[in-house]
Structures are given as structure tokens and as C-alpha cells.
Amino acid sequence: MSHRSLLIFLGVTAATVLTVQDNFDWTTWFNVDHPGGRGDYEQLDAIRFYYRTRVCETPRAIEARTTEWVPARETGEVVHADPTVGFWCLNEEQSPGRNCSNYAVRFLCPKERSVNTQGTWGLWSNWSPCPALCGQVGVQLRHRNCQSQSVTCNGPKIEGKPCNGPECIKTDCYLHCVIGRVNADCDACMCEEHVLLGSVRSAGGLIAEGAAILRSGKLLTLTDHNGHFRVPGICPDGNTTLTVSLLGHATLDVVVPLTAERTSVLSVQLKRAEKLHVLSNPESKARREGQSTAFCCKVAGTPQPNKYQWFHNNILMEMQSEGTLVLKDLHPEQAGEYYCRASGPSGAVKSKPAILKIIGREEHSCNPTPESHLIRLPHDCYQNSTNSFYYDVGKCPLGKCAGQLDNAIRCKDNVAYCCGVAKMEERQLTCQGYQLPTMVVTECGCQKCVDTKAVVYGRAVAADNGEPMRFGHIFMNGVRISRTGYKGTFSVQVPPDTERLVLTFVDNMQKFVNTTKVLPFNTKGGAVYHEIKVLRKKAPVTISSSETNTLNLGEVEGQEAMVQIQIPPHSFYKENGEVFTGNVNASVTFLDPRDVTTTAAASSDLNFIGGEGDVLPLRTYGMFSVDFRGEENNEPLNAGEVKVFLDSAQVKMSEHLSNMKLWSLNPETGLWEEEGSLQLDKRRRGKREERTFLIGNMEIRERRLFNLDVPENRRCYVKVRAFRSERFMPSEQVEGVVVSLINMEPTAGYSSNPRAWGRFDSVVTGPSGACLPAFCDEQPDAYSAYVMANLGGEELEAVSSAPKLNPSLVGVPQPYLRKLNYRRTDHEDSRVKKTAFSINVAKPSPNAAEESNGPVYAFEKLKECEEAPFSAAHFRFSRVEGDRYDYNTVPFNEDDPMSWTEDYLSWWPKPMEYRACYIKVKINSPHEINVRSRNMGGTHPKTVGQLYGLRDTRSIRDMEQANVSAVCLEFKCSGMLYDQDRVDRTLVKVIPQGSCKRDHVNTMLQDYLVNHLPLAVNNDTNEFTMLAPLDSLGHNYGIYTETEQDPRTAKEIALGRCFDGTSDGTSRVMKTNEGVALSFSCGDREVTRQSIFQAMQSSQNQIVTSVARGDNRKTRRRQRANTLRRSGKRSARNPTGGKR
């Protein structure tokens, strides 16, 4: 090894040997670059540019160390050094997730001597011939010799300069240049006297170091550490296109403007690369054998995908296409699941699967035989033939069928066909003193699907105290589509073909953090209620942009801060890319997973797209939202080179330490996208003891919500069903219930830690309940979870676990239930709310037969979970209902708009326009009275005298007057029937139970009825009869109406107005003297006499023995239901708190 190379090597790794060089001295330390972008470059030319006289002509050695005084040899990083060139460290050469340190260098130079001791150079030789071939660039050399024998000459011995080879002769070049000449490759015009200067900014206006400048795919140059570039020879002809490319950003084509100047300047602003995401999924279809069909998926991203693959039953198909797959001459073996996978430079993504159902040529498109469907009959309609209050009216299974389609091949059928009711028969049931008509399904067939609309509605409120987000804006796909009201209420109609509803709630008053939510909705139509919890913004602190600032995140009492953010000096930028100087108001709001009450305020659904295109879950270790603004003018600021420190002691699962990543939220897709990895490092923070941190780098640009997460692959599904009552009958399942599951964090050793949560998921129940994703493990107590259910803002009640656990009520047999450790939240304290339960999410063992049938399913068995029969194990919730009973002559499930049947006697005549009507009745009696509305056809020739349905409701006592109560009683609204041919004014009878006498009829209501003939006969003072008004009258008449796209929403709004006694307000406290239509006085009755509901329940307890409930139990449930009405909606997001 030569003496010089020895010094080079030792200069990087050790300086001690160099002390023998008595004729040399070390320079001062230089640091002209930072490790952002591609790495740290301490180049000799750059150092001489800034410090011309401080470095000798020919350094003999170089030494490097970090700015924290760590020698380069001890960092473990891959570095390069040459005393004639300088020092460099490339980020891409480091271990995964790690970047270069910030290095400083110094050089070994000869000591200064007097002039007479300097060596003398001879003359330079001539330049050597240019070795470059045509169209290439080479280097010409010249040399000189030192003429002194005893002393050393300073300066280089050899010099080089670039040279161009001769022009290539091309006879087939047809390129014509308006300005300049054609280059040797005949692919561009060259203008030697013109220079193009430019600057490139990344997303958010930050400096774009290392951006590539290309022309026709050929690299011209890279931007420097200031984001600047210089390209000589580019012709400013207005036709030259350059491509600017930067990692993580969308490529951008720019045209060099036409100019006569010798210098042009370009300013380029890049945008973040858009990850691939699915805009529309293939649609499930039903076809007959021999027909054709097409599946389509639409994927967006920047750049666009360049490859599509189609899969059939998870097997890659040989035939490939763009986003469309066409299948002709269908055969039975082609039935099954189809999905597409799109891929490109920005990743890959898979669509949701579509089901292709192939029906034989002569086979029924729908099974003509109806399924069994039991409905509950009125209290006075006990059936001796079946020994029950239930009657089987039948139903048709919902599903696609092959209808009368044309021969065109389309992505989406013009007309959708579903299995539905083809024939119905009327049956007369004998009740106590009257005949009850009911329509029974006798045949099913293929017909046009019921056209429905999906709606999400609810309230946006603060997570800490319930303060509403008033007049906030709601965005979808970057476009404002709605806003919240004064009380934080909102309603959004889901656009057709929406697969994933992503809404961002933005507070104009800047009180709350912008919150992005992925809201589940009922794809079959109807309304789903969501309570949006938003985090209150952290009060800003004032920091100086010229200093290093450290912000601590996490405020759990008695514990260290979980995360620290460190912002170096001069790191703030304006949105136009200018460096900001001055004071900054910094607000960083942290969602601490150690506080379970913050769960509902988490943004999005903690999912990301994996490398193969699958949607995969994340487990969070904290989210933080940043808001940096200038102190003087409140302008928003971005920040670069921010460091994030996560206390490793807070990561309870050691395997998560190596997989921890930093993520940012894409507010349009609701998916998290990787920003960088975190690496372990031991550091002394201030005067405290040495602690181990996970450290990562980030830039704060246009996205402001970040997450510290790890991907988790131990996944399962938990099956949950919701019911109308504690009878838990299949026919009484409730759809549209939002069921939520909170995954709790295990501590080291897999013992459950109830303090911290890791993930939050919500799913809407369908006809077969809901399958909730959850983390699970073969170790039973590795993961635990809380589960809760909410319907329209009302919390549903879980099955009791104490004092004695009943597996048949819970819905899960032993011994699996014992392994799951089922506990309702009031298990140890009866004062706690009963609206959630906890379980150990124990992965089912393949060797245990009792664990193969739910309620926990392995991740790959989602379809088995969704299609599980009612007899399979599942967890249960039930509604806390008061005394109310609904009967429709034509059965209809209000949770499922697609169950609507086209019939003159349908309670709701139009499936997308639901008009709810209520009349307010005041009762003067020491007792609460049950009131019935009997609704019959009044003026339409097809329905006159025929029953639409019955409504029974018990009155609610006035909280201040012991002998007064009131009831809001539903009746069928007048209006058009399903054929939209003519109106029917419903004949409504209001019949209080017992010995009652009508006292008063609202004067304005009476005048309306008299002036809008015909007038119903009202000779019986024990009841009230009217032909229901066609108009929406309002509280002055005691009539309350509301029309919505969902029956439950319409009824809730109308009922709230009726309780309040106003036309625009709402209340859950019955105001007995406000907005009343009718008044009755009812006499005393014996205490032992049962109400119609008690009689019905007592009889049912004798007949339906699958679920036993005592009278005291029912009384308590009714009291809770009335408490619900009086106290308003309860929070659905605090499973462990809230004393009753």
C-alpha cells in the first residue's frame, strides 16, 4: 500500500498514526452539507468554494466524524473518502430504514514554509488528444514535473478538462431544429450558448434535493442540496420537454419556454405520488349458462397502473386485459369469485371480489319456494294452531338473479334483477273479537331490484365533553359535500357505486382537529347513524424558527411522554417554498393509545395497502396532528427534517420494535401511507437516565396527520348479531346496527393490559349479523377486545355475564366460552353500563371441534363467518325497548329497504320516500295507558276498509304531574299508493285501552278535518276516528310528519318533534301539554290488571321457552327505555365508564 493511500484509509478510521507526520497540520473542521436527500456530501470543491484559502492544493489525508463527535469508523455506516475529492455517505447504501449521519471533515496539509523552500514546477505539457467517439464526451489530460529535488511542489501534477468527440454522421436523421443544431443521437436540438437554470420544490414547497432532470428518458442532471439545477445546451424553442422525477412524487413534464435570452429559468413544484386505489369494484352478477358478462375495475393513482391481472377463485387467469374482463359462452365451472389486481410504479392494489352466479338454462332463476319468516302477532291474537303469538308469513331470499337482459356486454347492468315476491295470499287470523288479515308469501321470482338509497347521518362532537362541531365542513374526495348544523348534526347521501365512504370533518372555528372517518353504511339502502368524536386542538405554544425545538406528546398521568418531536433550526417553510423566519405557533395534538377514552376519536380505519395490493391492518402506538402557523399573520407553515422519538419502553411487544413505521393519512382514500421507518437508538435526554428510543425522520408538508404503527398479521373475525329483544329469534335480527370492536394492547408476556388500545373497527350488521376484524393469537389472553353496538345513537345491551353465565343466552357454547372469558362491563360493578362486553380473542384451534363453528373465525374464513347459519356460535346484543308494537298487513323489515313489496296495502308506498306520521295524545289518568292506532284504507277503491296495520304504544308519565301522561302514536300517512295513480286518505282510529272518554280535540285539527271532506264519523267517545290529513300540519294541530329516504330516520325526527311539541325542535322528554291533538280521561283500574303488553308478555313466556325472563326483568328494561327517552342519546364509545 502506498504512503498516500495509507493516509486516506487511516484518515477515515483513525487519526493517531498521523502524528508522525511532523511536516503536516490538520485544517479546521468543515461541514457544508447535511444528510438529507441522497446523503451527506463533503466535497473538496464545495469546501474550497466557501473557504478558498483554508485548504491546501493537495491534501495528503482526510478525517471524518459526525457532528456529535463520533468517528466515522464507529458509526457502522458505509462511507467513502478521498483527500483529492472529499468525503461522501449515501443513504441508499445504509441498512434499511437508516440514513447517514451529519458528518464534518478536515484535511491534512503541509505546514506553511518560506518561499525559498517551495518546490518549482516545470511547464505544462500539451493537452492530449480527445479520446471521445462521435457524440460522446471524454477527458483531455496534461501534466507537469516538479523540478526541485529536495522540497515538495504544491499543486496538482495532472489536470484534465472535458472534451466533445466529433459529430456523428447520420444520413437518416430527419429531426429539424428551429433553433440550434441536431445532436449526435438525432433525438434533440442543442444550443451551446444557452443555459437552463431551475429550482425544484417537493410537495409542500420543501427543497427537492436529488430530483432527476431527464430529456427523452436520458438523465441530464440532478438537483443539488438547494434543489437547484443547471443544464447547458438546452434549446429554448418552446418545444423541448423535460421530465422531473423525485422519489415519492409524481413525475412532471415541463416545457422550456421560448426565449431569445441566453439564460432561461424554470421553477418546478412537484406533487406527492398518489398511491393506487380502487375507484370502482367489479359488480356481482347472475347469468344463465351460455350468456356473456363483463367485470370491470377502475383504479386511480399517479402514475397510472400499467398492468391489470384478473383472478378467478384466487387463481390467476391466463387471459389479461385492461380494467375489463369479458367472459362469453358461460359454463357452470366459471361461477365463483372474480377480482382484479392493478400494479404500476406506485404499487399495487386489489379490488373487492365480485360473485358470478351461473344458472342452468332451464333452472329457476330464484327458488320459488319462500323461506320461513315468523312475525309477532298482536297481544290479543294468540294462535291455538301453533300455540304461539308467531305466524309464518314467508320471505324470499335476497340475491341477484338473471332477468330479461339485452345482449350488450356492460360493466354495470342497466337494470338490476333480484329475487323477490312473485305471489302473495291473504290469510285471515282469528284474534279476540276480530279477524286480522295478513299477507303471506307463496311464491318467489326474479324481478327488478328495489331502487334504494344509502344515507349516513349523526353528530360530530368533541371527544372530551360532547361540545358539537358547529357549522363544520364535510369533504369527500377533496370536495365539500355538506356541513354540520348548530348541534353538530349532519346527513350525507352515499353516492351510487361507493365502496368505501371516506369523509373528512373540518372545523372552521379551528377548535378541533380535522378528522377523517371511514364510515360503514348499508349497501342495500337505508340510514346508518354515526357519532363522530373529534379531538380538541392542543393549545399552541410559541417557538422560534431559529432554534432547535422539542415537543413532548402524551399526557397520561404518572407516565413519561410517549413521543417527542424535534424540529431543527431553520426548518420551517412557507407554502411557496420560502424559508420562514420568526416565531411559530405550534399546535401538536396527540391521540394517546394509553387512554381508552380516545378510541372513538381515531381517524380512518387503520388500514394500508400492502405490497401485493391487499388491504392490511395496522396497530397504532399513537397518532398526532400538527398545525404550524406564523405568529404574526397566522399563515400555515410546513417543516422539513423533523425527527420523531418514540419511547421504546411503551412498546409492549418486542417484535414490534423492528417493524415500527411512521405513516401519514391520505384524506381522500382514508388509507395510511408509509413515510419512513424507525430505528432503535440509546440516547440521554437532558439530565435523565439513558433511554432507548425509536427514531425516525419526516417532513411535514401538505398532510398533517401522522401515525406510529406496525403491521399486524395475527388476525381473526368475531361474529356478532343484534336483536329487537331478548328473545333472540332469527326473525327479530336488526340490520343497520353499528357494531364496534376495540383491540386492547397486550403487555410483554401476553397478559392483557386494559389501559392501552391498539385498533378500532366498526361494521354494520346485515341480515346475518356482522363479522368484526380483530387481532387474535393462539395464546388465549394474548389479545383482548371490547365490543359494543349502537343503533341510531342508542346503545344496545349485551347479554349478562353475572351472577351466572348462561351460554345459551350469550350464544356461545362451553368450553369455548370459558376460553374466551366473556365479561359484560357490569360483571364486577352493577352500576356500570351494560352496553359492552370484553373477550379474549383466542384464535380457534383446528384440533378442537367446538371451536370450528364460531364465534371467532380465522382471517382466511371471512366468507364462512359471513354466511354462518343462525345455529353457529355468535355474540349477541338486544335493544332496550319500551312498550311498543308494530304490525303491518304486508310484512316489511324497516332495516332492509329491499324487503319492500309492491302491494296496495304496504305501509310505506314508496321504497325511497318514507313519510312518518304521529299524533300526540294526552291522557288524564293516574296510570300509564296503552293506545292503539288502527289504520285502514279510507278513500282508495283498492284499499277501502282493508287493514294497513296496527300500532300499539304506551303513554309516558309527565315528570311533574303524577296524573298526566302522553303518547306519540304512529299512524299511516295519507297519500299516493305504490302505483302513484291516486291518493288514499287513511282511516285512522285512535283507541285507548280500558275505560277512557274523549275530552277534547284540537280545534285547528277539527277545523281542518271539517274543511277537508269526507269527514269520518266520531260517535264513539271512547275513541277518535279521522281520515288522516294529506298536508303536513305541524304542532299547532298535534300532527307531526317527516319525509326521509330511510324509515328509521323519518320516524326518529317526527317522534322527536312530537315529544317536544314543536315543528322544528326535538326532545326525548315528553312534554305533555305542548302540541297535543287529542285528550282522553281514563278511569282507575285495579293494580293487578295487566296491560295489553303485560298480557302479551305473560302469554309469550308460557309459550316461547327458549328465553326466559321474569316480570321484574321486563319492568327494569321498560324503565331503562323510558330513561332513554328522557335523558337523550347516550355515548356509544365508552365501554368501561359511565355509571348508571
Side-chain angles (χ1 to χ4, degrees):
M1 181 182 292
S2 68
H3 177 67
R4 179 177 176 184
S5 63
L6 176 65
L7 288 175
I8 294 172
F9 176 75
L10 294 175
V12 177
T13 58
T16 55
V17 180
L18 299 175
T19 57
V20 300
Q21 305 289 329
D22 295 332
N23 296 326
F24 298 88
D25 279 334
W26 288 103
T27 65
T28 56
W29 291 96
F30 302 103
N31 184 5
V32 297
D33 196 19
H34 61 81
R38 299 181 63 192
D40 193 7
Y41 294 82
E42 307 297 336
Q43 295 178 318
L44 184 58
D45 287 346
I47 294 173
R48 281 181 174 150
F49 178 82
Y50 293 107
Y51 310 101
R52 296 183 183 276
T53 61
R54 296 191 186 181
V55 183
C56 56
E57 285 290 331
T58 311
R60 302 301 299 274
I62 182 173
E63 184 180 11
R65 63 166 174 80
T66 70
T67 54
E68 297 182 355
W69 296 90
V70 179
R73 68 178 183 275
E74 297 179 9
T75 63
E77 297 173 1
V78 179
V79 298
H80 308 271
D82 186 328
T84 63
V85 178
F87 172 92
W88 63 99
C89 174
L90 302 179
N91 289 334
E92 64 183 17
E93 295 181 344
Q94 311 311 314
S95 57
R98 179 168 181 173
N99 288 337
C100 296
S101 302
N102 193 4
Y103 286 93
V105 299
R106 64 177 180 174
F107 297 90
L108 188 68
C109 287
K111 292 181 179 179
E112 292 185 1
R113 300 180 182 274
S114 58
V115 175
N116 59 4
T117 61
Q118 297 288 331
T120 304
W121 288 104
L123 297 175
W124 285 103
S125 68
N126 294 327
W127 290 104
S128 65
C130 183
L133 301 177
C134 73
Q136 296 182 347
V137 177
V139 177
Q140 291 178 284
L141 301 176
R142 68 176 181 174
H143 64 273
R144 61 181 175 174
N145 296 318
C146 182
Q147 297 178 343
S148 301
Q149 300 295 325
S150 58
V151 294
T152 303
C153 295
N154 290 331
K157 184 178 181 179
I158 300 176
E159 283 187 344
K161 69 174 182 178
C163 62
N164 295 319
E167 291 188 14
C168 296
I169 301 175
K170 284 191 174 182
T171 59
D172 58 346
C173 181
Y174 300 101
L175 178 63
H176 174 69
C177 294
V178 178
I179 302 176
R181 62 181 178 84
V182 178
N183 67 357
D185 293 331
C186 191
D187 61 1
C189 297
M190 296 179 60
C191 298
E192 285 87 350
E193 296 183 354
H194 182 264
V195 176
L196 176 65
L197 303 177
S199 66
V200 181
R201 297 281 175 174
S202 65
L206 303 184
I207 290 172
E209 182 182 0
I213 313 299
L214 305 99
R215 180 181 60 190
S216 301
K218 294 182 179 180
L219 177 65
L220 299 179
T221 187
L222 298 174
T223 56
D224 61 18
H225 61 281
N226 289 317
H228 297 159
F229 66 88
R230 179 180 184 275
V231 182
I234 296 291
C235 289
D237 55 7
N239 293 319
T240 301
T241 301
L242 301 180
T243 300
V244 184
S245 176
L246 180 65
L247 182 66
H249 290 71
T251 57
L252 182 66
D253 291 333
V254 293
V255 176
V256 180
L258 177 66
T259 180
E261 301 293 331
R262 302 185 65 176
T263 302
S264 298
V265 178
L266 280 179
S267 294
V268 179
Q269 174 71 60
L270 298 178
K271 294 183 178 180
R272 184 190 294 264
E274 184 181 6
K275 294 281 188 180
L276 294 182
H277 58 279
V278 178
L279 294 179
S280 61
N281 291 284
E283 180 185 67
S284 294
K285 296 181 178 180
R287 293 291 187 271
R288 289 198 178 275
E289 188 176 352
Q291 289 184 324
S292 301
T293 192
F295 290 114
C296 306
C297 72
K298 187 176 180 181
V299 175
T302 307
Q304 289 284 333
N306 53 27
K307 183 179 181 182
Y308 283 85
Q309 296 172 305
W310 283 93
F311 294 79
H312 176 219
N313 293 334
N314 290 320
I315 298 175
L316 178 63
M317 303 178 66
E318 293 182 4
M319 53 185 300
Q320 298 180 10
S321 65
E322 290 298 312
T324 303
L325 173 68
V326 177
L327 302 174
K328 297 182 178 181
D329 192 19
L330 292 170
H331 299 283
E333 60 270 17
Q334 291 177 282
E337 286 188 348
Y338 289 84
Y339 68 87
C340 80
R341 180 181 183 270
S343 57
S346 57
V349 67
K350 292 179 182 177
S351 72
K352 290 183 178 179
I355 305 297
L356 176 60
K357 178 182 178 182
I358 297 180
I359 304 163
R361 298 178 189 270
E362 305 301 328
E363 184 182 351
H364 285 292
S365 185
C366 294
N367 185 353
T369 304
E371 295 179 351
S372 175
H373 180 63
L374 298 176
I375 63 167
R376 186 157 56 101
L377 301 177
H379 71 282
D380 50 1
C381 204
Y382 180 78
Q383 298 298 296
N384 293 320
S385 60
T386 60
N387 292 327
S388 74
F389 280 99
Y390 287 83
Y391 192 79
D392 190 353
V393 296
K395 70 174 183 178
C396 296
L398 294 175
K400 297 280 187 178
C401 59
Q404 301 299 318
L405 299 173
D406 56 32
N407 295 324
I409 299 176
R410 301 184 179 91
C411 295
K412 183 179 178 64
D413 293 336
N414 282 345
V415 178
Y417 288 90
C418 298
C419 292
V421 176
K423 292 183 180 180
M424 300 182 75
E425 291 182 0
E426 181 179 310
R427 306 277 173 83
Q428 294 289 333
L429 305 181
T430 301
C431 303
Q432 294 180 13
Y434 65 95
Q435 293 292 112
L436 180 70
T438 187
M439 302 299 291
V440 176
V441 179
T442 58
E443 184 179 334
C444 300
C446 188
Q447 54 190 287
K448 293 181 181 179
C449 298
V450 176
D451 194 8
T452 62
K453 292 183 180 179
V455 175
V456 293
Y457 72 106
R459 298 175 66 230
V461 297
D464 53 2
N465 63 1
E467 177 187 354
M469 178 193 281
R470 294 190 171 104
F471 310 118
H473 289 172
I474 304 176
F475 289 83
M476 183 170 67
N477 296 325
V479 178
R480 192 181 75 182
I481 61 168
S482 185
R483 66 186 304 173
T484 62
Y486 179 77
K487 296 183 179 180
T489 56
F490 68 92
S491 180
V492 174
Q493 182 176 314
V494 182
D497 301 324
T498 299
E499 299 287 346
R500 180 178 168 89
L501 182 63
V502 182
L503 301 180
T504 298
F505 294 78
V506 178
D507 179 27
N508 289 330
M509 301 179 184
Q510 297 294 315
K511 289 183 179 180
F512 307 112
V513 172
N514 293 353
T515 302
T516 298
K517 290 288 187 180
V518 180
L519 300 183
F521 60 95
N522 193 339
T523 56
K524 296 187 298 183
V528 174
Y529 179 90
H530 293 278
E531 190 155 284
I532 308 299
K533 296 296 183 69
V534 294
L535 284 177
R536 192 177 300 278
K537 272 189 177 180
K538 188 78 172 176
V541 295
T542 303
I543 59 179
S544 172
S545 65
S546 60
E547 299 176 358
T548 298
N549 296 281
T550 301
L551 304 175
N552 293 325
L553 308 181
E555 299 179 345
V556 175
E557 185 176 354
Q559 297 192 45
E560 295 277 358
M562 193 166 183
V563 178
Q564 293 176 334
I565 295 179
Q566 188 180 90
I567 309 170
H570 311 296
S571 294
F572 289 102
Y573 293 82
K574 300 179 182 179
E575 291 187 332
N576 62 3
E578 295 180 13
V579 176
F580 176 84
T581 57
N583 288 337
V584 177
N585 288 333
S587 172
V588 183
T589 306
F590 185 65
L591 189 145
D592 197 326
R594 296 174 296 183
D595 182 1
V596 72
T597 62
T598 64
T599 309
S603 276
S604 183
D605 56 359
L606 288 173
N607 287 328
F608 75 104
I609 302 294
E612 294 299 315
D614 297 291
V615 178
L616 301 174
L618 293 169
R619 182 258 181 266
T620 187
Y621 281 92
M623 300 180 187
F624 56 95
S625 172
V626 297
D627 186 17
F628 296 141
R629 295 180 179 270
E631 184 182 40
E632 293 186 1
N633 55 11
N634 203 40
E635 63 178 322
L637 302 174
N638 299 327
E641 299 184 26
V642 176
K643 283 190 176 294
V644 178
F645 298 83
L646 171 62
D647 186 358
S648 65
Q650 303 294 339
V651 181
K652 306 301 183 183
M653 302 181 72
S654 58
E655 62 266 36
H656 286 176
L657 293 172
S658 59
N659 296 323
M660 189 71 63
K661 296 180 184 294
L662 185 65
W663 309 76
S664 67
L665 179 65
N666 184 333
E668 295 189 12
T669 65
L671 295 167
W672 295 90
E673 298 177 5
E674 185 178 338
E675 290 281 339
S677 299
L678 285 82
Q679 302 296 325
L680 278 172
D681 190 12
K682 289 186 177 181
R683 299 215 168 186
R684 187 176 298 277
R685 310 296 294 168
K687 297 182 180 181
R688 295 180 294 178
E689 74 283 358
E690 187 177 67
R691 295 164 61 194
T692 301
F693 288 87
L694 285 164
I695 303 177
N697 299 308
M698 61 180 289
E699 293 179 340
I700 298 173
R701 297 178 289 188
E702 78 284 7
R703 294 185 183 173
R704 299 304 175 102
L705 185 61
F706 300 91
N707 200 351
L708 295 160
D709 279 24
V710 292
E712 180 59 271
N713 57 10
R714 288 174 288 195
R715 296 171 287 166
C716 289
Y717 287 97
V718 178
K719 186 62 175 272
V720 178
R721 297 178 188 262
F723 298 85
R724 298 189 183 280
S725 70
E726 288 182 319
R727 290 178 290 272
F728 301 124
M729 298 187 65
S731 60
E732 293 190 347
Q733 293 189 80
V734 182
E735 299 184 43
V737 176
V738 179
V739 186
S740 302
L741 183 145
I742 305 174
N743 260 115
M744 308 306 292
E745 176 194 273
T747 58
Y750 294 121
S751 63
S752 297
N753 171 17
R755 298 173 305 160
W757 61 276
R759 184 174 172 83
F760 178 87
D761 283 282
S762 295
V763 179
V764 174
T765 59
S768 185
C771 293
L772 289 131
F775 296 147
C776 63
D777 197 88
E778 294 174 355
Q779 175 85 17
D781 62 349
Y783 283 102
S784 64
Y786 278 105
V787 184
M788 62 210 75
N790 184 288
L791 177 65
E794 172 194 344
E795 291 175 318
L796 275 62
E797 188 171 293
V799 177
S800 175
S801 60
K804 184 178 181 180
L805 184 65
N806 188 335
S808 64
L809 294 183
V810 176
V812 182
Q814 297 287 21
Y816 196 19
L817 182 60
R818 188 177 303 108
K819 182 178 179 180
L820 296 174
N821 194 30
Y822 177 90
R823 292 288 186 271
R824 196 168 69 175
T825 41
D826 67 337
H827 184 79
E828 296 180 351
D829 186 349
S830 59
R831 297 172 298 172
V832 176
K833 291 194 295 184
K834 302 168 174 58
T835 52
F837 64 83
S838 65
I839 56 170
N840 290 336
V841 192
K843 187 175 182 179
S845 172
N847 300 321
E850 67 273 10
E851 298 181 14
S852 63
N853 199 28
V856 181
Y857 293 83
F859 181 75
E860 62 273 11
K861 294 187 177 182
L862 172 59
K863 187 175 181 181
E864 184 178 325
C865 176
E866 292 177 335
E867 298 178 355
F870 187 80
S871 58
H874 56 270
F875 293 108
R876 294 168 172 173
F877 284 93
S878 60
R879 295 193 65 180
V880 182
E881 292 186 332
D883 289 333
R884 193 193 73 188
Y885 171 73
D886 297 350
Y887 172 79
N888 296 324
T889 300
V890 179
F892 173 67
N893 181 1
E894 292 180 358
D895 302 323
D896 179 14
M898 295 188 72
S899 67
W900 179 83
T901 303
E902 188 178 272
D903 193 277
Y904 283 104
L905 291 177
S906 293
W907 184 275
W908 308 96
K910 293 180 65 177
M912 288 195 302
E913 184 178 295
Y914 298 93
R915 188 179 182 214
C917 295
Y918 285 84
I919 184 170
K920 192 168 185 176
V921 182
K922 181 178 178 181
I923 304 295
N924 297 302
S925 172
H927 308 286
E928 292 177 334
I929 300 298
N930 298 284
V931 185
R932 167 175 288 182
S933 73
R934 185 175 180 89
N935 304 268
M936 305 177 70
T939 59
H940 196 290
K942 294 286 188 179
T943 62
V944 63
Q946 298 185 63
L947 183 69
Y948 287 114
L950 306 174
R951 297 294 186 265
D952 292 337
T953 309
R954 175 178 284 189
S955 63
I956 299 176
R957 191 183 306 280
D958 191 294
M959 299 181 68
E960 297 179 355
Q961 303 178 63
N963 294 326
V964 176
S965 62
V967 60
C968 289
L969 185 65
E970 185 185 7
F971 63 90
K972 186 186 182 306
C973 307
S974 294
M976 290 284 189
L977 299 186
Y978 86 91
D979 60 4
Q980 299 296 298
D981 181 46
R982 60 184 295 176
V983 300
D984 180 35
R985 288 189 64 185
T986 310
L987 182 65
V988 180
K989 282 185 178 292
V990 179
I991 312 169
Q993 175 207 1
S995 177
C996 297
K997 181 180 179 180
R998 187 175 68 245
D999 292 332
H1000 178 69
V1001 177
N1002 183 295
T1003 304
M1004 294 182 66
L1005 174 61
Q1006 184 65 40
D1007 290 343
Y1008 177 91
L1009 297 175
V1010 169
N1011 293 325
H1012 293 77
L1013 301 176
L1015 182 66
V1017 178
N1018 256 308
N1019 294 329
D1020 191 345
T1021 59
N1022 294 328
E1023 59 188 38
F1024 174 76
T1025 305
M1026 69 173 179
L1027 286 168
L1030 286 167
D1031 301 307
S1032 301
L1033 298 183
H1035 69 286
N1036 290 328
Y1037 300 80
I1039 303 293
Y1040 303 86
T1041 62
E1042 175 65 19
T1043 302
E1044 292 289 336
Q1045 296 173 351
D1046 171 72
R1048 188 186 300 127
T1049 307
K1051 293 170 75 169
E1052 180 182 342
I1053 295 174
L1055 194 60
R1057 293 172 182 169
C1058 182
F1059 269 64
D1060 194 51
T1062 63
S1063 295
D1064 54 1
T1066 186
S1067 175
R1068 283 297 177 264
V1069 176
M1070 179 64 76
K1071 300 177 181 178
T1072 58
N1073 294 316
E1074 304 291 336
V1076 174
L1078 306 172
S1079 295
F1080 286 88
S1081 293
C1082 300
D1084 293 345
R1085 57 178 175 173
E1086 296 180 7
V1087 178
T1088 56
R1089 182 182 176 187
Q1090 291 182 318
S1091 72
I1092 58 175
F1093 296 98
Q1094 290 169 334
M1096 177 185 67
Q1097 193 63 53
S1098 298
S1099 300
Q1100 180 142 327
N1101 285 340
Q1102 298 172 13
I1103 306 303
V1104 183
T1105 58
S1106 60
V1107 179
R1109 291 290 184 273
D1111 290 341
N1112 292 336
R1113 175 87 173 153
K1114 284 297 169 187
T1115 302
R1116 291 196 301 270
R1117 287 178 62 80
R1118 186 181 181 284
Q1119 291 170 348
R1120 288 197 297 273
N1122 287 341
T1123 302
L1124 263 180
R1125 294 191 181 106
R1126 293 166 183 156
S1127 62
K1129 298 173 183 176
R1130 297 179 292 179
S1131 168
R1133 303 301 191 205
N1134 184 6
T1136 58
K1139 302 284 186 182
R1140 288 185 60 88

